[in-house]
Amino acid sequence: MTNHSLEREPKFRCRSVSVHYGSFQALHDVDIDIMDRGVTALIGPSGCGKSTLLRVFNRMNDTIANARVTGSVTMDGQDILGGDIDPVSLRARVGMVFQTPVPFPKSIYDNVAYGPRLHGLARTRAELDAVVENSLRRAGLWDEVSDRLSMPGTGLSGGQQQRLVLARAIAVDPEVILMDEPASSLDPIATARLEALIEALKARYCIIIVTHSMAQAARISDRTAFLHQGRLIEYDATERLFTNPGDVRTQDYITGRFG
Amino acid sequence: MTDPTPLYMLVLSALLCAAVFYHVRDGARRRVFLAGQRPHSRSRYHGALAACAAAAACSVVYGVGLALRPAGDVLFDAGWMAATGLLGWLAGWMVSRRSTMAFRARPHVERIVRIALAALSTLAVLVTLGIVASLLFEALLFFGDVSIVEFIFGTQWSPQTAIREGQAGQSGAFGAVPVMAGTLLITAIALLVAVPTGLMIAIYLSEYASRRTRALVKPMTEILAGIPPVVYGFFALLSVGPAVRSLAGALGANVPTQSALAAGLVMGIMIIPLISSLSDDVINAVPQSLRDGSYALGATRSETVRRAVLPSALPGIVSAVLLAVSRAIGETMIVVMAAGRGATLSANPLDSVTTVTVQIVALLTGDQVFDSSKTRAAFALGLMLFALTLILNVVALIVVRRYKERYA
Ligand SMILES: Nc1ncnc2c1ncn2[C@@H]1O[C@H](COP(=O)(O)OP(=O)(O)O)[C@@H](O)[C@H]1O
Ligand SMILES: [Mg+2]
């Protein structure tokens, strides 16, 4: 049984969300509520539509030529699919971190300052310095890079780069952070650091994370959604979903019988 | 009439080597087939090695024959051909004799290939060095007549009057500054036209245009690159020059039909496709994930292009622009037709100017003794042009490399 009612007002409310790529339907009538200040994990076999669903929340599907999103999605009660919301300003409120970190070909400082400069979030150099430092601190990277902010972002290790793009997203002061398999290119130590970071960030942000690691979903998320072939099969408190799944497909997936 | 025999000899040698290759290869194939085992080297390596041996023998016979050959002796030529055929075949046969299952032909062939490739690269280097050396040599001779300081800093260029008998003021006539200034002025105008236009075309094609538009527009711009410079030349002379003139006339200025502006504009149009096509390629090579990262931060498309895509494509764009600069500096035809030949030192784009390449042509064509200061001045100008493009290339290479080291 799918449980999409939450105790608090949800950050996002999706109703019959479908996504088509050309004639191929990647998501079928997904209804899901995402809570604020917590971690929601999206799991499921690859190709089931996790990334597609994640991209619904910041309208990144708009950047894909043949993608078409239908249904209704609200953020804080306000429609974000309609024509009157500007996807560009939505993305300033909903940050995103991708599977492989791709820093801009700029210095560490300029990478983090990219968003604030775009949106005019800092009036003076000192303010910008403060934003950069703050974001790097929150992303747990400040101590490692504070003495080489002018070095290129591409020179960092994979784990550092992932935290750099996280800092880049945080610098815009978003309300939501979307993460698409952020640990899949990281070694176990870097992954552990990232998970600790997510744990710390969830008090402030609404975090939605796609992961192919069930252990990771179980460790860091409060609620977990299981998708299968473009449909939301089950959505529940993480603990309940993993210990007592309501659907046989969920059961099969979390016990490793397919996917 | 020239004697065609040496050419026939080359053809004969080539045919012989091919015959040796097929003969030895097929022989080896037959043996492999009969023995039914796996040889060390595939049959074609046996053939290739035999052909190499034949080629070596043929070259020796060719060289010796060429050195000893009396002119027009039919008997000698017949012997020469017979010797080539005989010795070439013999060399191939000596290799084929060793052609067994265990014969290690492959490593030999690989080594020969490596040596041949290295020899060809060396040849390219030597040719380059030779050209530079001859430039340097003639230029040095020239600097014996005219002081190098005079040449580089002199502001008077009138080589025609300087060689006339009894001309006293020869020293002032070979100052390259006006010529150089003309080249730089026209190149600057061309770049002013081509870099923004070319870049914007590239950005439009790679970031905004639909796939269909791109498939249509890109080949069109590339056709622009295929138009011969001389056609651009009369376009400049007959259309752009008069247009510039009447436009300036309407504004109250009296301007000659041939002007730096007309030549620069047309040259700019000529190098647009060079910049747009290469830049489009490098912009397309920027990974989509970089763009996504920018969009996800709330950047618009144009912000993404300006702040993320272009910086990342910069090294490639710099090389494209540089290629265009070299092309513009070396361009002659358009300038001859559209810019005039007057070596006036002027920063006014509406003046008629001349360029290094045009002056080289002017110095070396027409009837004159090929040993005067005048003709040698052409080499000095050539050297100067070469130095200029070389410096530009080196600087750009350093810039690009430093940038890549930092960010790639
Ligand atoms: N840009 C696209 N064009 C066409 N089909 C796509 C595109 N992106 C994803 N798909 C298809 O949509 C389905 C869901 O993809 P995705 O959301 O990336 O899955 P997941 O992230 O769960 O692995 C897959 O079948 C995939 O092939
Ligand atoms: Mg995915």
Side-chain angles (χ1 to χ4, degrees):
Chain A
M1 205 196 74
T2 301
N3 172 5
H4 45 226
S5 56
L6 299 169
E7 304 78 49
R8 279 176 279 152
E9 226 358 70
K11 187 75 182 169
F12 291 101
R13 172 167 292 171
C14 300
R15 289 295 175 270
S16 0
V17 171
S18 296
V19 178
H20 289 79
Y21 294 111
S23 59
F24 173 74
Q25 187 165 6
L27 276 186
H28 297 262
D29 291 318
V30 171
D31 293 346
I32 192 171
D33 288 354
I34 306 286
M35 64 168 156
D36 202 357
R37 287 168 218 284
V39 179
T40 304
L42 307 180
I43 62 169
S46 78
C48 68
K50 306 181 292 292
S51 301
T52 302
L53 178 57
L54 199 66
R55 286 196 298 263
V56 165
F57 298 113
N58 66 343
R59 299 271 303 260
M60 274 299 271
N61 286 316
D62 291 19
T63 65
I64 299 171
N66 62 347
R68 193 161 45 84
V69 184
T70 55
S72 107
V73 182
T74 61
M75 177 177 178
D76 295 329
Q78 185 198 4
D79 176 29
I80 60 166
L81 276 195
D84 41 324
I85 185 124
D86 179 9
V88 166
S89 38
L90 173 68
R91 288 182 205 134
R93 293 169 64 197
V94 183
M96 187 166 195
V97 170
F98 298 88
Q99 189 163 350
T100 12
V102 183
F104 300 125
K106 297 168 186 289
S107 68
I108 294 173
Y109 184 98
D110 289 337
N111 261 280
V112 182
Y114 190 91
R117 280 184 177 138
L118 278 180
H119 303 292
L121 298 184
R123 277 184 304 276
T124 62
R125 180 75 191 194
E127 273 182 37
L128 191 59
D129 286 349
V131 170
V132 169
E133 176 174 347
N134 243 320
S135 311
L136 283 168
R137 277 193 197 285
R138 274 199 217 140
L141 192 58
W142 175 254
D143 294 335
E144 288 157 66
V145 301
S146 60
D147 56 343
R148 48 181 172 139
L149 291 176
S150 63
M151 301 288 277
T154 41
L156 298 173
S157 75
Q160 289 173 325
Q161 287 190 16
Q162 196 55 286
R163 280 176 281 144
L164 177 66
V165 297
L166 185 59
R168 196 169 81 177
I170 290 174
V172 191
D173 197 22
E175 301 153 37
V176 182
I177 301 176
L178 311 174
M179 301 186 182
D180 195 347
E181 303 192 17
S184 62
S185 62
L186 302 186
D187 62 60
I189 295 175
T191 302
R193 289 208 59 154
L194 187 73
E195 287 180 7
L197 207 57
I198 293 171
E199 195 63 38
L201 290 173
K202 76 176 193 188
R204 247 189 112 93
Y205 303 97
C206 162
I207 296 176
I208 311 178
I209 181 170
V210 169
T211 174
H212 60 243
S213 154
M214 272 156 302
Q216 185 171 61
R219 277 195 300 271
I220 60 175
S221 70
D222 304 298
R223 298 181 66 81
T224 297
F226 171 66
L227 286 99
H228 183 55
Q229 293 179 350
R231 289 172 209 281
L232 178 62
I233 304 300
E234 189 162 358
Y235 179 43
D236 213 333
T238 299
E239 175 131 355
R240 197 141 12 122
L241 187 127
F242 276 102
T243 52
N244 189 14
D247 190 287
V248 60
R249 285 166 292 186
T250 317
Q251 168 96 44
D252 284 351
Y253 183 70
I254 61 180
T255 52
R257 225 162 294 163
F258 70 83
Chain B
M1 220 197 80
T2 50
D3 176 10
T5 314
L7 197 66
Y8 292 158
M9 287 292 293
L10 283 180
V11 175
L12 177 72
S13 306
L15 288 175
L16 182 78
C17 293
V20 167
F21 171 78
Y22 287 111
H23 181 71
V24 174
R25 186 193 65 178
D26 293 346
R29 256 190 204 162
R30 217 161 25 243
R31 274 190 295 285
V32 168
F33 179 73
L34 291 177
Q37 358 166 324
R38 239 182 107 95
H40 170 273
S41 302
R42 306 274 314 262
S43 310
R44 61 168 174 269
Y45 284 107
H46 293 215
L49 191 61
C52 288
C58 287
S59 338
V60 171
V61 174
Y62 186 79
V64 170
L66 215 54
L68 299 180
R69 187 161 173 263
D73 187 338
V74 180
L75 254 163
F76 180 90
D77 285 353
W80 196 19
M81 287 194 179
T84 299
L86 219 66
L87 287 178
W89 197 263
L90 190 72
W93 176 75
M94 303 236 296
V95 171
S96 75
R97 239 171 22 130
R98 300 174 50 202
S99 166
T100 62
M101 293 303 118
F103 184 37
R104 299 172 165 270
R106 178 166 21 87
H108 292 300
V109 172
E110 287 297 326
R111 194 164 53 237
I112 291 170
V113 166
R114 205 182 61 218
I115 291 171
L117 292 179
L120 286 176
S121 330
T122 315
L123 191 68
V125 172
L126 288 180
V127 168
T128 311
L129 287 181
I131 291 174
V132 174
S134 86
L135 266 184
L136 261 179
F137 180 74
E138 295 285 339
L140 282 180
L141 282 183
F142 173 74
F143 291 133
D145 299 341
V146 176
S147 99
I148 186 165
V149 178
E150 203 55 61
F151 178 71
I152 295 180
F153 298 105
T155 56
Q156 280 290 325
W157 179 263
S158 51
Q160 308 294 344
T161 53
I163 56 159
R164 226 180 285 145
E165 289 299 325
Q167 190 82 20
Q170 200 200 36
S171 56
F174 282 108
V177 170
V179 186
M180 214 58 203
T183 290
L184 294 180
L185 180 62
I186 290 185
T187 303
I189 294 171
L191 288 180
L192 235 49
V193 172
V195 172
T197 320
L199 257 184
M200 281 191 259
I201 291 175
I203 290 169
Y204 174 71
L205 285 182
S206 55
E207 301 289 317
Y208 290 90
S210 71
R211 201 169 297 173
R212 282 218 358 244
T213 317
R214 183 163 190 269
L216 200 73
V217 174
K218 201 171 181 199
M220 296 287 268
T221 60
E222 279 163 2
I223 288 175
L224 208 58
I227 298 175
V230 67
V231 175
Y232 281 106
F234 50 73
F235 172 56
L237 183 66
L238 301 178
S239 312
V240 179
V244 167
R245 180 190 159 94
S246 57
L247 193 70
L251 297 174
N254 189 16
V255 164
T257 314
Q258 294 189 314
S259 66
L261 187 60
L265 285 177
V266 174
M267 197 190 285
I269 294 171
M270 184 184 75
I271 59 179
I272 283 173
L274 213 64
I275 294 179
S276 68
S277 192
L278 288 174
S279 304
D280 174 60
D281 289 342
V282 291
I283 291 175
N284 254 308
V286 170
Q288 183 59 33
S289 50
L290 193 91
R291 295 185 182 88
D292 288 346
S294 174
Y295 291 138
L297 289 170
T300 65
R301 194 179 280 225
S302 71
E303 285 165 345
T304 300
V305 169
R306 246 181 314 123
R307 299 177 187 228
V309 177
L310 285 187
S312 145
L314 196 65
I317 292 173
V318 169
S319 342
V321 170
L322 218 85
L323 210 63
V325 172
S326 311
R327 181 77 193 273
I329 287 181
E331 175 53 40
T332 319
M333 201 44 88
I334 293 176
V335 191
V336 172
M337 295 172 81
R341 287 194 178 188
T344 42
L345 179 54
S346 163
N348 179 1
L350 295 172
D351 273 343
S352 153
V353 298
T354 190
T355 66
V356 176
T357 50
V358 169
Q359 284 309 310
I360 291 176
V361 172
L363 289 170
L364 291 182
T365 51
D367 54 338
Q368 43 207 300
V369 221
F370 193 80
D371 209 20
S372 59
S373 303
K374 204 179 130 185
T375 51
R376 285 187 193 131
F379 286 90
L381 285 179
L383 186 67
M384 204 161 168
L385 207 57
F386 174 68
L388 185 68
T389 39
L390 189 71
I391 290 169
L392 273 175
N393 275 299
V394 169
V395 167
L397 209 69
I398 291 171
V399 169
V400 168
R401 182 170 305 163
R402 191 162 297 165
Y403 189 84
K404 274 192 180 154
E405 254 167 30
R406 268 180 77 81
Y407 295 114

